[in-house]
Amino acid sequence: MFPDQLKNKIEQKFPELFHAKPNIYAAPGRINIIGEHTDYNMGFVMPAAIDKYIVFAVQMNSANVHRFYSIDYNQYQEVQSLGKDQKLYFWAKYLMGVLAQFEKEQPLNTCFDVVFGGDIPLGAGLSSSAALESGMATAVNHLLGLNKEPLELVKLAQKAEHEYAGVMCGIMDQYASVFGKKNHVFKLDCRTNTHHYFPLELGDYELWLVNTKVKHSLASSEYNDRRAECERAVSYFQTHDSGIQSLSDVSLELINQHPQMPDAVSYKRSKFIVEELLRVDEASRVLDLGNLEELGKLLYQTHHGLQHEYEVSCQELDFLVDETRIMPQVLGARMMGGGFGGCTLNLVHKDFSGDFEKKLTTSYQNKFSIAPEFYLVQPEDGARLVS
Ligand code: ADP
Ligand code: MG
């Protein structure tokens, strides 16, 4: 659950600005246990929504203008039309992007007032942007009484990110923010957009995120480049088997038969994706068995692949992961999210969490002169009406 303080602040700000009573909605960020960059390759991922949220106060208005206020930036934005190419605060684009998707289907016939803020660290790989979109989509759907299926809201939120933020993200982030379930992770099939929940039982272990506090400017351009590289690899494999539609149709055997495929880069990228998909399968198997040691090993393997084959890591992430290798109380660690900064995900014994934080803070600070941040996270419910 989000802090009461956060909800109260937002709930109070709304009538100050708009002299009306809002509905309150909340949408969570997400983690991904394993299956990195596999969503847009039509493969499997294993995310969970987490106990970090964006909270929204929303109501329809008759002012003929959308009015948004960001608590965290202390910025106010009025929006007359939903055209893409306006000079606006960047955060406003996510809200507009969502409204624009609704409007594509039918005229909105109303404008919205929104006050929002949250405790999901921005740009840290926890998908604060997806929370922004899925929360707004949930609010609009509810206030207009549209009764759209959750999957429709997911797709609409994803489109908002593509068209208004320019990030060609897969479906995982918005899906997790909508479909999250308390105490559960889920295995999501990004080809069929279906999922299967299972309880996350970690016994004496906890999931800790460590925020590098860096986000290299490469992040979104490299992300789009990786998508293009994967598509190039698919085109190549299609010349061998016309049934192949994505890298999730390609076997490791086929890849190993084609080490020269069009170029060395496509080879490395495809190999990572196909191996990562095998690891997602293996992770669901070992989680069912409660074998956390094996899960931890898979996390390290994923990191290795992201570092050397998919090449989306950075020295800060590598450092934080490497530091845990000599800690027997840490079963596994990896970078999480798109890459080039953001957080590592760590499976840590609960008795060690204090030392974990102390040791990593000291060594990271010595090396990079940045104090990392630590978040203990738990699976939570997805986007919803709060009151
Ligand atoms: P991530 O989704 O990994 O957190 P992104 O770069 O995709 O990182 O999205 C971060 C952007 O989303 C911010 O720059 C901001 O525009 C918007 N955003 C997210 N959370 C908030 C918030 N609480 N208040 C205002 N804007 C936010
Ligand atoms: Mg994002």
Side-chain angles (χ1 to χ4, degrees):
M1 194 34 82
F2 41 84
D4 275 343
Q5 238 181 330
L6 176 62
K7 177 173 173 260
N8 294 343
K9 205 160 119 187
I10 287 159
E11 211 164 17
Q12 279 162 22
K13 188 76 190 177
F14 192 95
E16 265 174 48
L17 285 172
F18 304 124
H19 312 289
K21 193 175 171 341
N23 286 352
I24 305 293
Y25 304 86
R30 63 105 191 87
I31 53 169
N32 182 26
I33 304 287
I34 200 157
E36 209 60 86
H37 288 269
T38 48
D39 61 342
Y40 56 82
N41 284 299
M42 301 298 126
F44 287 87
V45 290
M46 200 188 282
I50 52 170
D51 49 346
K52 297 212 168 284
Y53 290 90
I54 297 183
V55 177
F56 303 74
V58 189
Q59 197 47 270
M60 294 181 277
N61 73 37
S62 50
N64 246 339
V65 59
H66 300 290
R67 302 181 295 196
F68 306 146
Y69 179 75
S70 156
I71 290 258
D72 300 316
Y73 286 107
N74 187 21
Q75 287 170 342
Y76 175 77
Q77 180 82 65
E78 292 198 349
V79 177
Q80 308 271 358
S81 75
L82 299 175
K84 253 186 277 186
D85 304 318
Q86 304 180 56
K87 262 198 122 205
L88 303 171
Y89 292 127
F90 202 78
W91 53 262
K93 302 215 167 185
Y94 297 97
L95 305 180
M96 278 172 69
V98 169
L99 290 172
Q101 305 310 318
F102 279 99
E103 192 151 79
K104 274 185 197 166
E105 291 175 21
Q106 61 183 86
L108 288 172
N109 292 327
T110 184
C111 284
F112 289 89
D113 291 332
V114 183
V115 174
F116 73 100
D119 61 359
I120 309 171
L122 309 191
L126 307 187
S127 285
S128 65
S129 63
L132 202 44
E133 294 146 359
S134 69
M136 187 65 185
T138 301
V140 172
N141 184 47
H142 178 253
L143 283 167
L144 296 179
L146 297 175
N147 290 317
K148 282 186 183 293
E149 292 294 323
L151 184 57
E152 277 185 87
L153 299 182
V154 169
K155 288 183 178 168
L156 196 148
Q158 182 195 21
K159 272 218 127 157
E161 176 106 19
H162 287 183
E163 293 178 7
Y164 281 72
V167 176
M168 297 308 291
C169 59
I171 204 163
M172 171 176 69
D173 300 350
Q174 291 79 8
Y175 203 107
S177 184
V178 168
F179 281 95
K181 182 169 166 179
K182 196 176 173 63
N183 299 329
H184 288 72
V185 295
F186 59 98
K187 191 172 170 192
L188 164 62
D189 181 343
C190 299
R191 185 199 300 279
T192 58
N193 291 330
T194 52
H195 63 276
H196 163 71
Y197 292 110
F198 45 102
L200 186 65
E201 282 157 0
L202 296 180
D204 288 337
Y205 286 83
E206 296 172 330
L207 288 174
W208 281 88
L209 299 173
V210 186
N211 190 349
T212 59
K213 306 270 285 286
V214 300
K215 181 166 185 178
H216 297 292
S217 56
L218 290 168
S220 55
S221 65
E222 290 279 335
Y223 185 92
N224 292 345
D225 288 351
R226 289 299 171 280
R227 283 196 75 138
E229 288 158 4
C230 290
E231 279 162 23
R232 208 162 70 216
V234 171
S235 301
Y236 171 79
F237 285 119
Q238 278 171 340
T239 62
H240 294 267
D241 176 350
S242 58
I244 288 172
Q245 285 174 4
S246 70
L247 286 180
S248 59
D249 296 323
V250 176
S251 66
L252 196 55
E253 203 183 358
L254 186 60
I255 290 188
N256 287 336
Q257 286 163 3
H258 295 267
Q260 310 303 339
M261 56 179 286
D263 52 87
V265 169
S266 308
Y267 172 72
K268 275 197 286 193
R269 307 297 189 244
S270 332
K271 184 158 174 291
F272 168 76
I273 294 296
V274 172
E275 286 176 346
E276 181 70 354
L277 287 169
L278 294 172
R279 280 189 288 269
V280 178
D281 276 347
E282 184 60 9
S284 47
R285 199 181 68 81
V286 301
L287 258 179
D288 268 344
L289 298 172
N291 190 340
L292 298 179
E293 281 79 12
E294 283 305 313
L295 181 66
K297 286 182 196 158
L298 293 169
L299 297 185
Y300 281 126
Q301 287 169 20
T302 290
H303 187 79
H304 184 271
L306 289 165
Q307 181 180 358
H308 298 289
E309 293 176 337
Y310 217 64
E311 296 178 293
V312 291
S313 189
C314 60
Q315 55 170 341
E316 293 87 351
L317 288 165
D318 295 339
F319 180 85
L320 284 176
V321 169
D322 288 342
E323 286 291 284
T324 68
R325 293 182 198 276
I326 50 157
M327 300 173 174
Q329 304 88 341
V330 180
L331 296 182
R334 71 176 189 86
M335 59 150 279
M336 195 190 72
F340 302 102
C343 292
T344 61
L345 174 72
N346 302 263
L347 189 52
V348 183
H349 195 284
K350 61 179 169 34
D351 296 341
F352 185 65
S353 56
D355 285 341
F356 175 72
E357 184 163 346
K358 258 187 249 149
K359 286 182 185 199
L360 282 187
T361 300
T362 306
S363 61
Y364 190 75
Q365 211 155 9
N366 285 343
K367 173 98 178 158
F368 297 104
S369 304
I370 302 172
E373 279 175 12
F374 294 77
Y375 322 113
L376 173 65
V377 289
Q378 255 138 21
E380 264 294 349
D381 288 330
R384 59 193 181 269
L385 171 71
V386 175
S387 62

